[in-house]
Amino acid sequence: MYQPLADKIRPKTLDDVVGQQHLLGKNGLLRRVIESGSIPNLIFYGPSGVGKTTVASIIAKQTDRKLYHLNATTAGIADIKAIIDELDTFLTPNGALVYLDEIQYFNKKQQQSLLECIEDGSVTLIASTTENPYFYIYNALLSRCTVFEFKSLSAADVERGIRNALKKLSESESQPVVMDEDACAYLAESAGGDLRKALGCLDFAVTAAPITENCKRVTLEMIQQVTK
């Protein structure tokens, strides 16, 4: 089964997350909340590919809660009820964390169904959206959550993420993976602040890269072809 590169090498700690230093830096408010272990209901607002899912995964791991990952484009009230049914069982001994991606696609009734499972604290909700939450999220739910805005990544942030990926790929592939400097810079600039997009292009290029001098080499020409 194919696993996207962004999922395969997803950071496991806050220090490995690129960008979002206003939230996750040494004095970042979100970082201090996460490190406290007392996680409120959260809404992550920002563009695609900037670390919202990654941070939610790290929170679930650090608080030792079972993570339920739902996408509002395909999930519904039945999925929320199924999670409620599993509470207080051996499946969720430390409670549950529900990560709901693209919450803006849930209608008012669907969003109201979330209230039941977050009221007593047995479920922590982390919802993400690319749209302004103050326009798309039901007021009663919004009032129970703290909103954090994730910003688009800089080209330098994306390049750091690409280099981290190259290092991990070299460790896992049968041959080392190298990337020309101009190719790395071009990919970082062309990603438009979306690291997931950049890693998708890199994954494709590495798969297609020929083996020369006992390594897989990714060139500028290859990156230009996959980013068109």
Side-chain angles (χ1 to χ4, degrees), residues 190-209:
S190 64
D194 185 336
L195 180 57
R196 183 168 55 232
K197 177 182 177 181
L199 294 180
C201 293
L202 177 63
D203 196 13
F204 192 93
V206 169
T207 301

Side-chain angles (χ1 to χ4, degrees), residues 6 70 77 79 201 213 218:
L70 304 177
I77 293 177
D79 297 286
C201 293
E213 299 179 356
V218 179

